[in-house]
Amino acid sequence: MSQVSERLAALSPSETLAMSQKSNELKAQGIDVINLSVGEPDFFTPDFIKKAAKKAIDENFSFYSPVPGYPELRKAIVNKLKTENNLDYKPEQIVCSNGAKQSVCNVLLCIVGPGDEVIIPAPYWVSYAEMVKLAEGTNVIVPAGIEQDFKITPAQLEAAITPKTKAIILCSPSNPTGSVYSKEELKGLADVLAKYPDITIIADEIYEHINYVGKHESIAQFENVRERVVIVNGVSKAYAMTGWRLGWIAAPQWIAAACNKLQGQYTSGPSSIAQKAAEAAYTGPQECIEEMRQAFERRRDLMVKLASDIPGFKVSKPQGAFYLFPDCSYYIGKSFNGKKMENSADLAMFLLEEGHVAAVGGVAFGAPGCIRFSYATSDDKLVEAMKRVKDTLAKLV
Ligand code: PMP
Ligand code: GLU
C-alpha cells in the first residue's frame, strides 16, 4: 500500500527523464529508437578532467568535504566569475551541490514558503514549477509564445508582480527554447525588479557557454539588482559532465548561508571526486568548451533547416543551449488509427511509439503547443530522426 505524503503525491515526475527512460526501455527491446529527449551533451568528459578525478582518488580525497565544497573549488569558481563574467564574489558566497538541479531546489526551499509566489516565465524548464510546489509556494506562470521569441517583456513581468512575489526564475540561454535574453532585454527586466527590493532573482546560467550570439550576459551585472541575484551554474553542460553531479550558486551571503545549513542536514557536501574534477575543469585549458559549442552550433543550423521543412511546424532559431522547440499545434486535434492527439504530450508519445524518435511534449514546459528536441547528438542521427518525425507526422489525419 502506498502512503506517500501529500507533498509527494502533488509532485509530477520529471518528464524529460521519463521520456528518456521510455526510450531506453524500447531500445532494450531491440527497437532502434533515436533519443532526442533528455538534454545532455553527447561528448565525453575531457581527458584532463578525468585525470584530475583519478588523481583525487589516488590522493585519498575520500573524506567528507566541507558542506559548501572545498575552498579550492570555491576559489576557482570565484575566479571564473571574475575573469569570465566580471563579477566580484567571495568564496563564502559560493555553495556547491549535487548538480545545478539541487542548487535551484536548495534556494527555493530556503526562501519560499506557503503563500509565497514565484514568477516563472513559460516555456520553463520542467523542474522549476515542481520545485516551487515542493517548497509549498505558488507558481505564477508568465507565458511568452514563439511570436515573442519565447521571452517575457518588462511590462509582462511588472504585471505579474504582487506583494507576495518572493522570487523569479530566469533561464538564459533557455531550456527548452534556446532563446537568449540580450543585455538590453535583461536591463529592461532588471529595471522593473529594481523597484521591488524583496524579490530574489534566480538566474539559471547553466547553458552560459552554449551560446551562438556572442558573449554571455548575466542579470547580475546590473548594480540596481546585483545584491539580490542568485547565479546558478555548474559543470554539466559546459564540460560534458552531467553524470558527475556538480553545480553551484553564487548568492547573497544570507542565501549561501541558508543553503549551507539546509545542505548540512540534507546531503552534506557533493562528491569529493566530482569536486576535484570540477576544480580541474575551471582551472585547466578551456578549448574544449569552444569545440563543443561549435559542434552544437552546426547542429542547431542543421536542425532549424530540417524542422523548417516539416509541414505545419513553426520554428524559432535558437540562440543558445541545444534544444529546438517548434510549435506543432498544427498537428494537435489530428488523429492516428482513431486516437486523437489532445496535446503535444500525446504527439511526443506518438512520435516515440510510431516513429521511434524520443522527444518531450511541451506540456511539461508550460507550452502545450510545442515539442522539444534535444540536438546534442550526431548529425547523422539528427538527419534520420527528423526524417522519421516528418514521415510519422504525415500519418496524422
Ligand atoms: N537548469 C537547467 C535549465 C537545465 O536544463 C538543467 C539540466 N538538467 C539543470 C538546471 C540541472 O543541471 P545539473 O543538475 O546537471 O547540473
Ligand atoms: N536538463 C536536462 C533536460 O532538460 C536534463 C534532464 C533533467 O534533469 O531534467 O533534459
Side-chain angles (χ1 to χ4, degrees):
M1 184 176 70
S2 167
Q3 289 187 323
V4 298
S5 64
E6 266 180 47
R7 185 186 301 112
L8 195 95
L11 195 70
S12 309
S14 165
E15 188 67 14
T16 48
L17 300 181
M19 282 307 279
S20 185
Q21 197 178 324
K22 275 193 197 111
S23 142
N24 290 338
E25 282 165 15
L26 290 181
K27 271 190 199 168
Q29 293 168 22
I31 299 171
D32 161 37
V33 175
I34 303 180
N35 187 359
L36 306 187
S37 63
V38 75
E40 65 176 339
D42 56 325
F43 300 106
F44 295 129
T45 301
D47 280 341
F48 75 94
I49 299 175
K50 293 197 279 196
K51 256 190 213 139
K54 289 177 196 162
K55 184 159 169 276
I57 294 173
D58 289 339
E59 291 180 353
N60 295 308
F61 278 88
S62 51
F63 301 94
Y64 291 129
S65 74
V67 172
Y70 289 121
E72 297 78 12
L73 173 58
R74 288 190 288 152
K75 271 188 214 135
I77 292 167
V78 165
N79 192 43
K80 170 252 177 290
L81 286 161
K82 183 66 196 167
T83 52
E84 289 189 346
N85 311 98
N86 196 27
L87 295 170
D88 291 304
Y89 284 93
K90 297 191 195 75
E92 305 81 71
Q93 294 177 274
I94 312 296
V95 178
C96 302
S97 303
N98 299 288
K101 196 177 242 179
Q102 189 191 356
S103 300
V104 178
C105 202
N106 275 353
V107 175
L108 290 169
L109 288 173
C110 285
I111 66 173
V112 174
D116 290 336
E117 293 178 354
V118 179
I119 296 178
I120 305 182
Y124 49 79
W125 179 45
V126 278
S127 297
Y128 297 150
E130 297 305 316
M131 289 170 176
V132 170
K133 281 203 264 171
L134 264 187
E136 298 177 61
T138 304
N139 288 299
V140 176
I141 306 298
V142 181
I146 195 166
E147 67 291 343
Q148 58 188 88
D149 198 18
F150 301 116
K151 292 186 271 192
I152 60 163
T153 62
Q156 281 183 293
L157 169 61
E158 186 133 34
I161 294 174
T162 77
K164 291 182 184 166
T165 307
K166 196 72 187 222
I168 172 167
I169 311 180
L170 287 172
C171 182
S172 177
S174 155
N175 176 4
T177 65
S179 295
V180 174
Y181 284 86
S182 68
K183 185 173 177 180
E184 292 65 38
E185 287 164 342
L186 285 176
K187 183 172 183 308
L189 300 181
D191 287 346
V192 170
L193 290 162
K195 294 188 252 169
Y196 303 92
D198 296 332
I199 300 179
T200 296
I201 303 156
I202 303 172
D204 186 340
E205 303 185 358
I206 192 88
Y207 296 98
E208 164 176 19
H209 290 291
I210 306 173
N211 180 321
Y212 314 125
V213 284
K215 193 169 116 343
H216 176 70
E217 300 290 350
S218 174
I219 195 164
Q221 72 188 283
F222 301 109
E223 288 302 329
N224 56 359
V225 292
R226 166 80 215 276
E227 62 189 17
R228 289 185 277 127
V229 175
V230 179
I231 294 179
V232 176
N233 207 328
V235 292
S236 283
K237 316 288 168 169
Y239 300 96
M241 291 176 71
T242 46
W244 296 78
R245 310 309 303 130
L246 202 291
W248 49 266
I249 54 167
Q253 188 63 59
W254 68 274
I255 292 182
C259 291
N260 192 356
K261 180 172 152 190
L262 176 70
Q263 201 163 271
Q265 290 288 26
Y266 193 22
T267 57
S268 298
S271 151
S272 53
I273 307 305
Q275 287 190 57
K276 295 312 278 181
E279 183 189 328
Y282 286 121
T283 54
Q286 300 295 301
E287 288 79 18
C288 56
I289 292 182
E290 178 55 16
E291 281 163 24
M292 292 190 267
R293 195 202 63 80
Q294 284 181 13
F296 288 133
E297 184 164 5
R298 193 186 63 241
R299 294 165 180 179
R300 187 272 313 255
D301 292 342
L302 178 64
M303 280 297 274
V304 168
K305 188 167 143 283
L306 295 169
S308 302
D309 199 32
I310 296 178
F313 268 21
K314 276 189 230 149
V315 180
S316 72
K317 189 173 182 184
Q319 299 183 314
F322 37 62
Y323 306 103
L324 192 77
F325 201 58
D327 182 314
C328 53
S329 14
Y330 172 79
Y331 293 100
I332 293 167
K334 294 189 188 268
S335 302
F336 176 72
N337 281 350
K339 179 163 181 341
K340 194 167 160 195
M341 303 293 127
E342 300 287 354
N343 53 38
S344 58
D346 287 352
L347 215 48
M349 196 48 78
F350 167 65
L351 286 177
L352 178 59
E353 287 170 354
E354 190 61 27
H356 300 159
V357 175
V360 188
V363 178
F365 303 100
C370 296
I371 196 160
R372 191 190 80 172
F373 299 98
S374 164
Y375 55 84
T377 192
S378 70
D379 298 29
D380 289 354
K381 281 197 184 151
L382 294 176
V383 171
E384 171 61 19
M386 296 316 275
K387 182 185 176 304
R388 291 186 193 178
V389 169
K390 188 176 177 183
D391 294 347
T392 310
L393 290 174
K395 296 181 187 173
L396 289 172
V397 288

